[in-house]
Amino acid sequence: MVSFNVTDNKAEIIVDGRTVFSFRKGEYLYSFGKGRNTYTMSHGSFNIKEHIYYKNDYAVKSISLEDGVLTIDGGNSKMEITADGERRIKVNPVIGDESNRLWIKIPAKKTEFVYGSGETFTEFNLRGKKVNVWVAEHINGLQTAKKIVKQVFGIRNSERKQAFGKYETYYAEPTFISSGKYYYHSDTTARAEFDFTDENMHIIKVDEVAPFYFGFGSSFEELMEDMTALLGRQPELPDWVYDGAILGVQGGTEVMMKKYEDAVKYNTEVCGIWIQDWEGRRVTAVGKQLQWNWEWDKELYPALDEKIKELNEKGVKVLGYINPFLAVEKPLYKEASEKGYCVKDKDGNDYYVKITTFPAAMLDFTNPDACSWIKDIIKTNMIDFGLSGWMADFGEYLPTDCVLYSREDPQLVHNTWPARWAKLNREAIEEAGKLGEIMFFTRAGYTETKKYSTMMWNGDNHVDYSIDFGLPSVIPAALSLTCCGFGLSHSDIGGYTTFMNLTRSDELFMRWCEMNAFTPVLRGHEGLNPDVNAQFDYNEVTLKHHARFSRIHKKLKPYIKDCVKENAEKGIGVIRPIFFHYEEERAFKETYEFMLGRDILVAPVLRENATNRVTYLPNDEWVHLWSGKEYTGGKHTVPSPVGAPPVFVRKASERFDELMNIIK
């Protein structure tokens, strides 16, 4: 329970008998100020410049407690603190001027670790880092181009990291958890900055004066349960999702069926076929992209409606693709434009955003009629057509210089855009009475995405082993999402971004596949340039490998289903940091291993041509899945040939025999 202990000079906030915060008269705890940001966007990447007009630091002048409200008064400003649940407090900042900036100082310990702020791909523990909480494209063209040029000259360093401040992320959120078993969350929709570089304090800056929360727990499970009770949880997944692999296929009906039949010949358990180009294909200078007109392309996919029915009878679902853009040369855009459903520029014209090499218009989610229109399209052209799921892509690109139907400030709406997009997809499914049958997966996100989306995927990763954008990067990405309360995520098998000499090898495909078998969803993607990438049917070796891990994934169904149920009921993610269950210093630092639920530890192989992997095991008794060899806690060099990544089952698990039998 939350309680307050107040004297004339001091206040203590107590949770379950533990003092979590204390304040004294004369302390400087917060600041208010006024500033202005200038944003420049290119292909979803943002350059942000800020001008601060003033910043006023406030010392505590008086402390009072009345009717359950603890007031910290700084003169012309105050913080009103109330209990907001058994282990949570809400802080409401009050200012008497036109300030639009808020800084707060949170006491920190030198040994503390922090995680979250959305989805982070290169770091998991954010201590020592400054984080820009702003939704953007994660990988920009310049970063990829520099890598390609270096590779032309033979420079390959998969462990090289850029400066952390140069990275952006699809999913940003003003939320973090601490190894001290508390979380912070702000109700802001504006840009925020988390500064974790000081040994003694965390400095949080928000470009808006907004309420914020602190929640506390005696365990990390308890902490996540409270956070997600506040912010929302994902529903359970449709039952069919667990029944093997979702094949990533494109190129037309004949190609789709041929690849499906080849997979079945090798005893692949196929639960779905994802055809992202169901609405048409656009070939550009960067690869095979999509025609953003959300109608069935009957020329590319003749008789697709009949094939969907045939496949459904075999227990195989068909999935598609949609995003918030409209191809400007296609019929749906013409209709939307005539009805005024698109985001406008300052001259009143439809705002065209350049994605890669082509422009596209954006639907205006602040226009209720536009929202109803796109939901009807989803219900008619996708759900009624027979699709059982789809990738709900993008959401990061709302320009800050646009004009919205609602006349809201785009700088305060931008971060919410992906959540609004997820909400539209969710509502379309619910209105069709299909929640629990259909899975859609999103790339971008903000706070409310977690209560609307049914699944995240980790975006357009490079088809390589690079620690910043390749296979390794999806592990901290998944873990950081879990720490923000989004407990369902997966990645494209083999990555996506393919260009010139950046291509997918068969070994990379197999390593990524064997990792993803131990995640909630096993789904492939042919990549940006499918013709130069190794696929599941690249050769007999990849066919057999993919088939084997599809069977393993299906055998994990009862276990993963229970993990997903726990996430839906308590907000404890399926992919978890080791420290959720083992509070060891090494566990708090571990970035590239993860727990699948409570009983399985996975240490994916992250280097090309590797035959073993140095693996950290927490203090417990573990059994190697492939050999049955028993291990104790500590560092071990584990044999890791292709097809046998380090995976361990907790010996004390009640499901030990069931889990060890998944490879038989």
Side-chain angles (χ1 to χ4, degrees):
M1 294 293 292
V2 176
S3 61
F4 305 119
N5 183 25
V6 178
T7 65
D8 288 341
N9 296 312
K10 183 180 178 181
E12 294 179 319
I13 300 175
I14 301 167
V15 178
D16 291 342
R18 174 170 66 106
T19 299
V20 294
F21 291 126
S22 63
F23 319 105
R24 292 182 179 275
K25 280 186 179 181
E27 279 190 275
Y28 286 87
L29 303 176
Y30 60 90
S31 307
F32 287 99
K34 188 172 184 179
R36 178 177 61 86
N37 293 337
T38 302
Y39 299 84
T40 304
M41 183 182 80
S42 176
H43 296 83
S45 181
F46 288 81
N47 180 34
I48 305 172
K49 295 182 179 179
E50 181 176 33
H51 178 72
I52 298 294
Y53 297 109
Y54 65 81
K55 177 185 177 185
N56 295 325
D57 301 326
Y58 291 91
V60 178
K61 291 188 174 180
S62 66
I63 301 169
S64 61
L65 178 63
E66 187 174 349
D67 296 329
V69 180
L70 173 63
T71 301
I72 309 297
D73 198 330
N76 195 40
S77 70
K78 57 185 177 181
M79 295 287 180
E80 297 176 339
I81 305 171
T82 55
D84 190 58
E86 290 188 359
R87 297 181 180 88
R88 184 193 317 139
I89 60 172
K90 181 178 182 179
V91 184
N92 184 42
V94 180
I95 188 70
D97 58 29
E98 296 181 350
S99 293
N100 63 0
R101 296 289 189 274
L102 169 65
W103 291 260
I104 64 168
K105 297 177 181 179
I106 304 172
K109 296 180 179 179
K110 293 180 181 180
T111 56
E112 187 179 353
F113 303 89
V114 289
Y115 314 90
S117 79
E119 185 177 24
T120 56
F121 289 82
T122 57
E123 305 289 344
F124 179 38
N125 170 33
L126 299 176
R127 199 68 194 276
K129 306 297 181 184
K130 291 183 180 180
V131 185
N132 181 36
V133 184
W134 180 257
V135 172
E137 177 75 60
H138 170 53
I139 302 174
N140 63 52
L142 180 60
Q143 291 165 325
T144 303
K146 286 181 177 179
K147 175 186 282 188
I148 289 170
V149 170
K150 287 182 178 180
Q151 290 184 172
V152 168
F153 290 97
I155 303 172
R156 293 175 181 264
N157 183 359
S158 63
E159 296 189 13
R160 177 188 177 275
K161 290 183 183 180
Q162 297 185 80
F164 185 78
K166 292 185 178 181
Y167 293 105
E168 297 175 281
T169 183
Y170 309 115
Y171 190 124
E173 186 176 330
T175 307
F176 71 85
I177 70 171
S178 163
S179 57
K181 297 193 183 74
Y182 74 85
Y183 69 82
Y184 163 91
H185 171 76
S186 173
D187 273 346
T188 186
T189 63
R191 184 179 73 107
E193 293 177 338
F194 292 171
D195 186 346
F196 300 120
T197 59
D198 192 286
E199 288 187 339
N200 300 308
M201 69 181 69
H202 309 315
I203 301 175
I204 308 300
K205 172 182 166 292
V206 180
D207 294 356
E208 179 186 25
V209 178
F212 55 94
Y213 302 83
F214 289 98
F216 306 87
S218 59
S219 67
F220 289 102
E221 294 99 318
E222 187 176 86
L223 190 69
M224 297 312 301
E225 186 170 4
D226 187 78
M227 178 202 288
T228 55
L230 173 68
L231 302 178
R233 299 170 183 144
Q234 304 80 60
E236 293 183 60
L237 295 169
D239 191 72
W240 61 265
V241 170
Y242 310 101
D243 289 332
I246 300 173
L247 304 180
V249 173
Q250 54 189 318
T253 306
E254 185 177 346
V255 173
M256 176 187 76
M257 294 308 298
K258 173 66 166 57
K259 285 180 175 285
Y260 166 68
E261 290 161 5
D262 287 345
V264 171
K265 287 178 185 176
Y266 281 82
N267 298 317
T268 308
E269 293 286 355
V270 180
C271 66
I273 302 175
W274 174 53
I275 47 172
Q276 64 167 357
D277 59 348
W278 73 281
E279 80 289 357
R281 183 161 60 185
R282 179 200 299 265
V283 179
T284 71
V286 300
K288 293 181 178 178
Q289 298 183 263
L290 307 177
Q291 194 61 261
W292 296 346
N293 187 63
W294 315 119
E295 300 174 314
W296 167 29
D297 187 330
K298 296 181 181 180
E299 291 186 11
L300 185 60
Y301 281 93
L304 179 59
D305 53 345
E306 295 302 320
K307 292 299 179 184
I308 289 174
K309 293 176 183 176
E310 291 176 20
L311 289 164
N312 283 348
E313 290 175 358
K314 297 176 181 179
V316 178
K317 305 297 184 180
V318 177
L319 297 84
Y321 175 97
I322 191 171
N323 68 41
F325 299 107
L326 295 170
V328 297
E329 67 272 35
K330 290 293 183 176
L332 285 182
Y333 167 66
K334 182 179 180 182
E335 180 183 349
S337 182
E338 289 174 351
K339 292 180 176 179
Y341 291 166
C342 298
V343 172
K344 304 295 183 183
D345 63 21
K346 291 182 178 178
D347 296 323
N349 302 313
D350 292 344
Y351 201 125
Y352 289 174
V353 177
K354 196 167 186 180
I355 310 303
T356 53
T357 61
F358 57 91
M362 302 181 67
L363 283 169
D364 190 339
F365 299 152
T366 70
N367 183 335
D369 292 336
C371 293
S372 296
W373 181 79
I374 191 61
K375 283 196 292 184
D376 286 343
I377 287 173
I378 292 172
K379 286 184 281 187
T380 302
N381 293 359
M382 301 177 75
I383 297 175
D384 291 348
F385 181 59
L387 296 181
S388 297
W390 53 83
M391 175 184 283
D393 204 358
F394 288 100
E396 310 90 341
Y397 280 65
L398 183 72
T400 57
D401 60 345
C402 70
V403 177
L404 297 169
Y405 173 87
S406 64
R407 301 298 169 178
E408 294 172 85
D409 183 351
Q411 293 189 31
L412 297 178
V413 175
H414 169 86
N415 275 337
T416 72
W417 212 245
R420 295 176 189 229
W421 175 227
K423 184 173 184 284
L424 285 174
N425 283 268
R426 175 71 168 268
E427 288 177 348
I429 293 170
E430 290 178 338
E431 290 167 14
K434 295 290 185 177
L435 186 65
E437 299 178 38
I438 288 175
M439 175 188 72
F440 72 95
F441 43 105
T442 47
R443 178 178 86 164
Y446 195 65
T447 298
E448 290 194 325
T449 302
K450 64 169 62 70
K451 72 178 183 181
Y452 294 124
S453 179
T454 61
M455 169 66 67
M456 289 297 297
W457 104 97
N458 300 132
D460 297 344
N461 317 109
H462 285 182
V463 291
D464 62 15
Y465 295 91
S466 63
I467 202 166
D468 52 358
F469 296 126
L471 185 156
S473 70
V474 304
I475 301 172
L479 294 175
S480 56
L481 282 172
T482 292
C483 289
C484 287
F486 205 122
L488 297 178
S489 65
H490 72 295
S491 61
D492 300 327
I493 299 175
Y496 169 79
T497 301
T498 315
F499 196 65
M500 294 181 67
N501 57 20
L502 184 59
T503 59
R504 181 196 296 158
S505 69
D506 52 349
E507 182 191 350
L508 178 74
F509 173 85
M510 290 189 288
R511 286 302 196 188
W512 213 309
C513 177
E514 63 193 31
M515 174 182 71
N516 281 14
F518 296 92
T519 67
V521 173
L522 181 63
R523 178 186 58 82
H525 197 317
E526 291 196 332
L528 182 57
N529 196 340
D531 299 336
V532 298
N533 279 336
Q535 310 293 351
F536 78 88
D537 56 352
Y538 181 70
N539 55 35
E540 190 171 29
V541 173
T542 56
L543 274 161
K544 288 180 177 178
H545 183 91
H546 179 260
R548 177 175 177 239
F549 280 92
S550 74
R551 297 191 296 270
I552 289 172
H553 186 72
K554 184 172 182 177
K555 287 184 178 180
L556 279 167
K557 177 177 180 175
Y559 178 75
I560 296 178
K561 277 191 70 172
D562 285 348
C563 294
V564 171
K565 183 179 181 181
E566 185 178 23
N567 180 69
E569 294 176 350
K570 297 183 178 181
I572 304 169
V574 177
I575 296 174
R576 303 174 187 175
I578 294 174
F579 69 77
F580 268 26
H581 301 293
Y582 300 93
E583 295 179 32
E584 305 170 8
E585 183 178 1
R586 183 67 180 81
F588 284 113
K589 295 179 178 179
E590 180 54 56
T591 300
Y592 296 108
E593 299 178 17
F594 61 89
M595 301 288 295
L596 178 65
R598 176 67 183 92
D599 296 324
I600 297 177
L601 185 147
V602 185
V605 176
L606 308 177
R607 293 185 178 181
E608 191 173 13
N609 299 323
T611 57
N612 56 58
R613 208 256 207 209
V614 176
T615 303
Y616 153 71
L617 296 176
N619 187 25
D620 208 333
E621 293 180 300
W622 301 93
V623 180
H624 187 231
L625 178 64
W626 315 104
S627 68
K629 181 180 176 181
E630 296 189 12
Y631 288 78
T632 56
K635 186 185 292 186
H636 304 275
T637 299
V638 182
S640 310
V642 173
V647 176
F648 297 84
V649 178
R650 190 169 65 96
K651 189 175 180 180
S653 169
E654 295 179 356
R655 310 179 75 147
F656 179 79
D657 291 337
E658 169 196 337
L659 295 175
M660 290 299 295
N661 283 331
I662 64 172
I663 62 173
K664 296 180 180 179

